[in-house]
Amino acid sequence: MAANKGRAKKQAGAQLIKAVLVLMAALAIFVLEKTGVLQTAAGDKPAAENADAEVDFIDVGQGDSTLVCSDGKYMLIDTGDRDGENTLINHLKERGVKKLDYLVLTHPHADHIGEAAEIVEGFKIGKIIMPRVPDDLTPTSSVYEDLLDAAADKGLKIRAARNESFELGEISVQTYAAEGEYSNLNDYSVVLRLTHGENSFLITGDCEKQEESELLERGCDVSADVLKVGHHGSDTSSTSQWLKEVGAQYAVISCGADNKYGHPDEETYSRICKYVKNVYVTAEDGSLAFESDGKGLTVKPFDTADAAKGGK
Ligand SMILES: [Zn+2]
């Protein structure tokens, strides 16, 4: 009996030590998260040491906006919806942006072009790229009309997206334009694949299943370390085949807290988690800054990133 009691005591002691160790590990992870570096788990890319390219997924509420910076060059992909608080414009100012070399609007829905007119008015703009869409899908919204007016006032032509590649500082950009005929504007989203050394990003606008399968059938290279999930994590997008082909280690879902669309869809979110190890949602994680040195990749909340560096 006594021996049994002793063993039980010993076992309880070992369990207590185990529990304390687990608690300490959890605390260490919590501290790491709070201090800025979100991911350093085994199997991830090593951390970027001297980042010379940054990709920010900006928390613009229910909408999309991604800023790409490299070597003093900037590309803005989508502008979120109309926003009285100027979240996007403030973000661009914090990054020190004076000129956007490229303004890519993945498709002309308000949650992607809401602030486009203001951006065109407030910044120097190199090229504006938008998808060509059928007449019956061309929007008549005021945000779209305002954008056309702002571009015309500055003498800027809007260029139709095509399958092409160009350089942005040290980043190579490949754009894919849909070639099929669709009944939904989302499936005309310009999809962009960015590569910086060994790191790659896929930005998909509101691309839905039909466009996903078109791109796969065309043999487009959609592989990426970081995926900006299509259509705010809706069940219209992110098929298993798509997620498998992309093969991302990081996924970002851009949506607003408690949005009326129920984004991200629960089942879609679980599917994404099955294929991607690190999944972020801007509604919970806020704006995220991915930093790349061409080999390593670091993700931080934007407010702890070195914003002043502005892609150098
Ligand atoms: Zn959208």
Side-chain angles (χ1 to χ4, degrees):
M1 263 316 258
N4 275 349
K5 236 186 197 172
R7 200 157 48 225
K9 241 187 189 172
K10 249 188 202 166
Q11 269 175 3
Q15 269 170 1
L16 189 69
I17 290 169
K18 229 180 182 178
V20 169
L21 284 175
V22 168
L23 208 70
M24 279 167 72
L27 193 69
I29 291 168
F30 176 79
V31 169
L32 262 182
E33 284 187 346
K34 291 295 154 199
T35 50
V37 180
L38 284 171
Q39 296 294 341
T40 46
D44 286 342
K45 294 235 172 193
E49 282 177 8
N50 288 303
D52 43 20
E54 286 105 31
V55 178
D56 298 340
F57 296 96
I58 306 162
D59 178 16
V60 288
Q62 183 62 22
D64 265 15
S65 189
T66 306
L67 178 69
V68 185
C69 323
S70 176
D71 207 14
K73 305 281 181 203
Y74 299 92
M75 171 166 66
L76 183 65
I77 306 166
D78 289 335
T79 69
D81 211 333
R82 277 255 146 100
D83 172 22
E85 289 172 24
N86 289 329
T87 309
L88 173 59
I89 289 174
N90 291 337
H91 187 105
L92 296 179
K93 284 183 179 162
E94 270 185 68
R95 271 285 187 213
V97 178
K98 302 256 177 336
K99 178 184 175 184
L100 291 167
D101 299 274
Y102 290 89
L103 172 61
V104 181
L105 301 164
T106 60
H107 66 297
H109 274 152
D111 58 326
H112 297 254
I113 63 163
E115 288 283 293
E118 280 201 53
I119 295 290
V120 170
E121 282 160 11
F123 293 84
K124 282 188 197 154
I125 307 284
K127 289 191 172 79
I128 305 178
I129 298 177
M130 269 180 105
R132 194 190 298 280
V133 299
D135 287 348
D136 61 334
L137 291 180
T138 302
T140 52
S141 59
S142 61
V143 281
Y144 183 66
E145 299 295 336
D146 290 350
L147 163 66
L148 298 186
D149 290 345
D153 284 350
K154 279 198 150 181
L156 291 162
K157 283 206 176 105
I158 297 179
R159 168 174 157 163
R162 49 189 171 195
N163 304 297
E164 63 175 335
S165 53
F166 53 85
E167 304 299 315
L168 182 89
E170 295 180 11
I171 296 176
S172 299
V173 181
Q174 167 73 50
T175 57
Y176 298 121
E179 292 174 354
E181 277 182 30
Y182 301 107
S183 56
N184 188 334
L185 260 185
N186 289 344
D187 281 317
Y188 288 93
S189 291
V190 184
V191 171
L192 299 99
R193 183 171 183 272
L194 320 174
T195 47
H196 180 243
E198 293 170 14
N199 295 325
S200 49
F201 298 79
L202 193 73
I203 319 288
T204 59
D206 279 356
C207 172
E208 297 192 3
K209 291 171 186 170
Q210 293 81 350
E211 191 184 359
E212 290 176 358
S213 52
E214 181 201 306
L215 296 178
L216 294 181
E217 274 165 33
R218 280 168 47 194
C220 300
D221 184 359
V222 296
S223 64
D225 298 302
V226 184
L227 168 68
K228 201 296 293 173
V229 171
H231 199 196
H232 321 286
S234 152
D235 64 357
T236 57
S237 311
S238 306
T239 62
S240 297
Q241 201 200 348
W242 174 255
L243 294 168
K244 212 162 108 188
E245 293 292 334
V246 175
Q249 290 184 23
Y250 306 86
V252 178
I253 298 169
S254 185
C255 65
D258 303 320
N259 63 79
K260 61 181 177 188
Y261 310 100
H263 294 156
D265 170 69
E266 214 173 295
E267 207 175 299
T268 311
Y269 181 80
S270 318
R271 187 161 64 244
I272 295 166
C273 291
K274 217 171 102 186
Y275 287 92
V276 188
K277 196 167 156 202
N278 309 298
V279 182
Y280 302 102
V281 182
T282 56
E284 291 158 19
D285 299 306
S287 296
L288 297 160
F290 282 79
E291 299 179 345
S292 164
D293 61 7
K295 282 197 163 89
L297 202 55
T298 302
V299 51
K300 295 173 176 173
F302 176 71
D303 52 12
T304 66
D306 185 5
K309 196 166 55 177
K312 277 199 276 196

